[in-house]
Amino acid sequence: MDNVPISGLDELNNHLDDLIQDPNLAIIPKLFDDVELQLTDSNIPPLIPSLLPKLTQILQQYNDDPAVIVSLTIKLLRPISFTQVLQLASEDSLNQALTSPAPAAQLLGLTILHKAAKTPTDAAILSVMPSLVTSLLTAWLSSPKVEVGQKASKVLGDLLDIDCPRPPPPPPPAPPAITTGTTPSHHELVLRRVPGKGELWKLIFHQPSTYNLLLDLISGRHPGTANNTSQLSLAQGRTLRILPRLAALNIDAIASSNILAPTPIHLTNGHLTDDDSDMEINGTTRNENAATNPPQQGEGLLQYAALRMVDNRDALMHLNLVDFFEAFVSLMRITEYSAVKEAIVKGLLRDAVPHDDMLRGALDTLPDRTVAEEADDLRAWLRVVMPPVAEVPLR
């Protein structure tokens, strides 16, 4: 079957040559679709030298929606490793894709970066190209397109998993019983099988320029989210959804930082004024709300996102925050025990729960809403980490 000629290949090649000569020429989608449907891992490699350079050149000069071009390009790139892609496409061209206003081009750039999540060495190679990492973070948090945000979240999470310098969690001592709905083990939730090099973690969470970019995006201080309540909410929601996974990978790295975070700009119904400071929110006045406390030196992204970032006047974002705490607490239960982890979880809940009746109610009832096989263990874990009701200050 490998020697079967690809129908329409010559016609597509001619069309690509025409598009290079005249970028304003209308694309004929059928030519792309017909060839793409015939591609397999075995017949793709011989096509790469002839097709990929043409497709790359067209993408750089094409002004309309390049979805059909991108789809074929992604198919051609499927069997190629990250280092092989770097021999075919420059760092500048990858940045151009990631920063393109066209979602299809951004998805192409993200697909290429995702290849670096195959091995720790590839992830480390990506870490020496910080402009690609900042473009990844910016696309993740500033794109209004759901598919771009979801793909970027997957790419970032997988990259940080493979690059995580901690040893992978050990497998369970015995095969777990087959029970419908049972939570998978921590070992089953991670990709890496050997420790990573930790270079991406250093770049994102310890390099001031990169970390401050991340903080600016989720605090409304970056052009991609400033004065745009909808986009800021998307950025904050995406951050809250990835944090439990990052905490399961390396909670220490996201729970402390030498870089002081900015005070968030809450944009719900416009910028806050001094008159808003005593506004009642969820049963407590705003100046008692944990989100109004300024960031503290030494706090990491975890505390910033969970305690400072969200304006609880935004009902939807408040629900997102509660969802985050439910996922975070549940996932922390199944990760390996350490006194440091327990202290971090306790500290976070100690600061968040007393000021949020909805959050306390959600966590109190969480075991009742999980699978029966996990309920007792989750209930016991919550008794360890939740602040007692007696600690809640009287209002």
Side-chain angles (χ1 to χ4, degrees), residues 171-213:
I178 300 177
T179 306
T180 302
T182 300
T183 302
S185 69
H186 190 196
H187 175 80
E188 296 172 297
L189 292 175
V190 302
L191 299 175
R192 71 189 186 284
R193 293 295 174 253
V194 296
K197 301 180 184 299
E199 297 301 325
L200 281 174
W201 286 85
K202 293 177 185 175
L203 174 62
I204 294 174
F205 297 107
H206 298 288
Q207 174 60 244
S209 59
T210 313
Y211 188 55
N212 281 324
L213 168 67

Side-chain angles (χ1 to χ4, degrees), residues 48 70-71 98 114 163 178 192 197 201 221 258 261 270 284 309 329 381:
I48 290 173
V70 166
S71 181
L98 290 167
H114 204 185
D163 185 61
I178 300 177
R192 71 189 186 284
K197 301 180 184 299
W201 286 85
R221 295 178 180 274
N258 292 325
T284 184
M309 178 181 74
V329 169
W381 169 240

